[in-house]
Amino acid sequence: MEKQKEISFNYYGLVSFLYQRIQSRMGNENLEIINKNLEICESDESLLRFIKQQELSEIEVVVLLLAYIPAILPNFLSEIVSEYLPEGGEFPEFGGVKGKNHRGIIPTGETALYILAGNGIEKRTILINYFFNESILFKNNIISLEKVPEGEPKMSGKLILAEEYIHLFLTGQELKPELSQDFPASLITTNLDWEDLVLNPKTLDEVKEIENWLTYKEVLMNEWGMGAKIKPGYRVLFCGAPGTGKTLTASLLGKYTGKEVYRVDLSMVVSKYIGETEKNLSKLFDKSIHQNWILFFDEADSIFGKRTNVRDAHDKYANQEVSYLLQRIEAHPGLIILASNFKNNIDTAFTRRFHNIIEFEAPSYDERLQLWKKNLPENVALQDSITVEELAKKYNITGANIVNVIQYACLKTIGYKKETIQRQYVLEGIKREYAKEGKTINIIL
């Protein structure tokens, strides 16, 4: 027995508890519901830190370890069971299933129930209620039960520990979700600072309101007792022409409040097949609901656009998608930012639910002047025949256009080995920006 313990990951203290429970099958059903001596090795710092931070109960620790162990010891449960059933045989109350590639036993909800409550119906009922109504492991989707075929017991589903927590416990590093069909969003960051964002004062003040919510929402909801009076989360619409700073603003909000910003790829969300759009959105919201992320829906018109009159079945289901979206964004506890070129493109059902609608106007002369000054290289001058004042006055372009013009002119300057940024290169760059937007401008180079 001692030798078996050494093989079977004994420093978690879980193995002895499993042995006791299986021994109870041989006639001792008086085992306590949990093992008061359950311990975790201090060398597993990330796991130990997580358990302490989340203030997990001993029952939750047992379930967490059960869900985690297949990732590090695939034979853990198989060896314990085979010791008591060396010739094979049925052990249905223990639960557990085999995976497609995993050769060991993968614990199920039934496994957790048996280990914690044996065959006691009353204890099992209490535990099931605890798992689904009280335990933060299940409420926060840290652990989930795999869906089972219709007609099979719900608790026969696999205990699934979310991938990011497996990665955290194994490596000590947070796992950043990658763009995929299961998570149609990508992380966006910026190396710029608030000082680099050029907006008119009114717009900047409204953006600072969002920063205040991100910084003080816990005080508002908990310490001030507003959690029962106002809906969770914060919803805001950024509207304005492309290149006016909407994406940069979202990135800076995340940077200065310590929150990750994920830009949702709507091309991966919207589907022509009935029910698929809702399914894709459900995956996104389920993944992010407890992560404290900022969700940024760029070019949101395609999914948050105005509903149509119902003319056929397609219109009916399109309107159902909007209704589903309304439910999810209202229930989401974090910050959701929608970005659109035109406010009027967004369905009024959504606009009524926004905490704020922020207009990102095209930059004025003063703002264009700041943008030219901030983005030109500090150690290379403009040719004497052109000034930033002239550029800001003559050409009504956005911040993104200005950055593109400067990049073009700088590369031409380097390529042609010039000492200063030539007037010709800057004007060529401006002409290109107008052409990209289908506009014509008469510029004498």
Side-chain angles (χ1 to χ4, degrees):
M1 182 71 72
E2 291 303 316
K3 182 179 179 182
Q4 179 70 16
K5 285 186 180 182
E6 289 177 9
I7 296 172
S8 299
F9 205 23
N10 64 338
Y11 54 83
Y12 275 138
L14 182 61
V15 64
S16 60
F17 189 58
L18 281 167
Y19 275 114
Q20 290 178 65
R21 175 56 70 196
I22 294 175
Q23 283 175 335
S24 73
R25 186 175 187 254
M26 309 304 172
N28 176 15
E29 279 292 341
N30 296 318
L31 185 67
E32 289 294 323
I33 193 169
I34 49 176
N35 182 352
K36 297 295 184 183
N37 296 319
L38 186 67
E39 295 179 356
I40 298 168
C41 180
E42 291 186 2
S43 63
D44 292 277
E45 294 179 7
S46 298
L47 178 59
L48 190 61
R49 189 183 310 115
F50 174 81
I51 290 170
K52 289 179 178 178
Q53 286 174 347
Q54 300 295 328
E55 298 180 347
L56 298 185
S57 68
E58 289 185 299
I59 289 174
E60 288 174 315
V61 172
V62 170
V63 177
L64 178 65
L65 295 178
L66 265 179
Y68 175 49
I69 278 176
I72 42 180
L73 279 177
N75 63 331
F76 180 78
L77 294 176
S78 302
E79 288 192 355
I80 293 174
V81 172
S82 63
E83 182 169 340
Y84 287 94
L85 296 171
E87 304 299 326
E90 294 294 324
F91 195 171
E93 60 265 53
F94 190 76
V97 295
K98 297 278 188 176
K100 291 181 179 178
N101 299 313
H102 186 92
R103 296 298 185 90
I105 295 175
I106 299 175
T108 60
E110 292 172 343
T111 311
L113 287 179
Y114 180 71
I115 290 171
L116 291 165
N119 290 320
I121 294 177
E122 185 178 350
K123 289 180 179 179
R124 283 171 166 259
T125 303
I126 292 170
L127 277 173
I128 291 172
N129 180 67
Y130 176 72
F131 289 158
F132 296 116
N133 296 316
E134 297 181 42
S135 172
I136 64 168
L137 294 177
F138 289 88
K139 287 170 70 174
N140 292 358
N141 292 319
I142 297 166
I143 291 178
S144 60
L145 270 183
E146 181 184 49
K147 290 185 178 179
V148 297
E150 186 176 355
E152 294 191 14
K154 182 175 182 178
M155 298 303 290
S156 64
K158 297 174 190 171
L159 282 176
I160 300 175
L161 178 60
E163 184 181 2
E164 57 263 35
Y165 292 101
I166 293 176
H167 189 273
L168 174 65
F169 300 156
L170 288 174
T171 68
Q173 303 294 321
E174 288 188 22
L175 178 65
K176 307 293 185 188
E178 296 182 355
L179 181 68
S180 68
Q181 196 60 54
D182 287 332
F183 187 74
S186 54
L187 182 67
I188 58 173
T189 59
T190 180
N191 292 323
L192 299 178
D193 301 309
W194 279 123
E195 293 73 23
D196 299 306
L197 180 66
V198 178
L199 299 173
N200 67 55
K202 179 178 180 295
T203 302
L204 195 57
D205 284 345
E206 291 178 322
V207 170
K208 290 294 184 180
E209 289 179 23
I210 307 173
E211 187 180 17
N212 282 342
W213 182 84
L214 289 169
T215 305
Y216 303 116
K217 67 172 181 175
E218 297 301 328
V219 175
L220 176 68
M221 303 297 275
N222 299 322
E223 295 182 24
W224 285 39
M226 296 298 290
K229 299 178 181 180
I230 58 178
K231 292 180 180 179
Y234 197 92
R235 296 164 291 281
V236 61
L237 173 65
F238 288 176
C239 50
T244 50
K246 300 186 294 294
T247 302
L248 175 57
T249 299
S251 301
L252 288 170
L253 283 168
K255 179 177 180 178
Y256 280 90
T257 57
K259 292 171 176 54
E260 293 174 342
V261 183
Y262 283 91
R263 177 163 49 194
V264 180
D265 186 340
L266 292 175
S267 67
M268 298 179 69
V269 171
V270 179
S271 173
K272 64 181 180 180
Y273 298 106
I274 292 172
E276 283 298 306
T277 299
E278 292 97 321
K279 182 179 176 182
N280 295 336
L281 283 165
S282 180
K283 290 178 183 177
L284 173 69
F285 281 113
D286 289 347
K287 188 83 170 178
S288 59
I289 192 168
H290 298 294
Q291 296 295 335
N292 211 19
W293 296 331
I294 297 171
L295 294 182
F296 179 65
F297 290 82
D298 199 7
E299 298 181 359
D301 314 54
S302 62
I303 195 167
F304 295 91
K306 291 185 175 179
R307 283 176 284 188
T308 61
N309 294 323
V310 178
R311 297 185 299 271
D312 53 30
H314 182 271
D315 292 336
K316 177 183 176 182
Y317 284 109
N319 290 347
Q320 286 181 0
E321 288 175 3
V322 173
S323 298
Y324 175 79
L325 268 171
L326 283 169
Q327 295 172 14
R328 292 308 302 252
I329 68 169
E330 280 201 305
H332 190 73
L335 172 61
I336 293 178
I337 300 173
L338 274 59
S340 172
N341 294 345
F342 301 100
K343 177 175 67 176
N344 292 336
N345 288 353
I346 302 297
D347 194 296
T348 54
F350 291 106
T351 56
R352 287 197 304 268
R353 289 165 171 82
F354 290 134
H355 291 88
N356 203 350
I357 297 176
I358 301 178
E359 299 270 1
F360 285 72
E361 299 175 355
S364 64
Y365 165 76
D366 288 337
E367 289 150 13
R368 291 195 297 271
L369 184 60
Q370 287 185 63
L371 287 164
W372 281 107
K373 289 179 177 180
K374 285 177 180 290
N375 287 289
L376 280 164
E378 295 179 3
N379 56 343
V380 182
L382 279 173
Q383 188 179 16
D384 291 341
S385 58
I386 194 169
T387 65
V388 289
E389 288 78 10
E390 176 190 352
L391 293 170
K393 184 177 181 180
K394 282 188 176 180
Y395 306 107
N396 186 12
I397 54 179
T398 67
N401 294 140
I402 290 170
V403 170
N404 288 342
V405 170
I406 291 171
Q407 177 177 315
Y408 173 84
C410 288
L411 287 172
K412 293 280 279 190
T413 300
I414 295 168
Y416 284 99
K417 298 180 173 54
K418 299 290 185 180
E419 297 295 324
T420 58
I421 299 173
Q422 303 293 293
R423 176 179 184 276
Q424 176 185 346
Y425 303 156
V426 175
L427 297 182
E428 284 176 2
I430 292 172
K431 192 171 184 179
R432 283 161 56 101
E433 291 302 301
Y434 273 88
K436 284 194 297 187
E437 296 177 9
K439 301 175 183 177
T440 56
I441 186 170
N442 185 22
I443 296 179
I444 300 175
L445 301 177

